[in-house]
Amino acid sequence: MSHRGAQAEQLAAQFLQRHGLKLLQQNYRCRYGEIDLILQHGVTLVFAEVRLRSSSDFGGAAASINAAKQGRLIRTAQHYLATLAHIPPCRFDAVLLQAGDGSDIEWLKDAFGA
């Protein structure tokens, strides 16, 4: 991962923690893919995808989470859930950063269904 990507994930984690989420795991990897952040928001387990884009060309950060990427995230989340004794309510969030300094963060709760 690039330095900018790691910095974006750290900024996103700090942002979400300031909004009451508890960070459980960062960069969960399996054969299906990677989930940037896994957090707890009350009783809900949140799988968060962090996207950094320096420009809005080609649709910006949100557009980069296409159907193929969503499929990989869902399969990776299912892999993670298989390790738990109890499966809580879950959602997929996206944290979009348009600037590398964290000054422009957009949090999309329940960004896509699974």
Side-chain angles (χ1 to χ4, degrees):
M1 173 186 310
S2 73
H3 173 72
R4 282 176 39 107
Q7 183 181 21
E9 286 182 9
Q10 190 61 38
L11 289 168
Q14 291 168 356
F15 174 85
L16 293 172
Q17 288 171 314
R18 282 194 307 271
H19 285 84
L21 283 73
K22 177 183 175 187
L23 182 63
L24 302 176
Q25 192 158 354
Q26 194 164 349
N27 302 116
Y28 176 80
R29 291 179 180 89
C30 72
R31 65 182 183 200
Y32 303 114
E34 177 183 344
I35 295 176
D36 296 328
L37 304 170
I38 300 175
L39 309 105
Q40 187 171 348
H41 192 198
V43 298
T44 303
L45 192 63
V46 177
F47 300 102
E49 176 69 7
V50 178
R51 293 306 225 191
L52 172 66
R53 290 289 182 262
S54 55
S55 78
S56 60
D57 294 349
F58 309 107
S64 69
I65 307 173
N66 59 25
K69 178 64 175 176
Q70 290 176 24
R72 287 191 300 275
L73 289 169
I74 291 166
R75 286 189 299 279
T76 305
Q78 290 169 334
H79 186 272
Y80 178 83
L81 291 170
T83 68
L84 303 179
H86 167 73
I87 298 179
C90 302
R91 74 172 191 249
F92 290 89
D93 289 4
V95 181
L96 313 175
L97 293 89
Q98 295 296 338
D101 61 1
S103 63
D104 187 11
I105 296 178
E106 183 179 2
W107 178 19
L108 302 177
K109 294 180 187 175
D110 205 13
F112 61 91

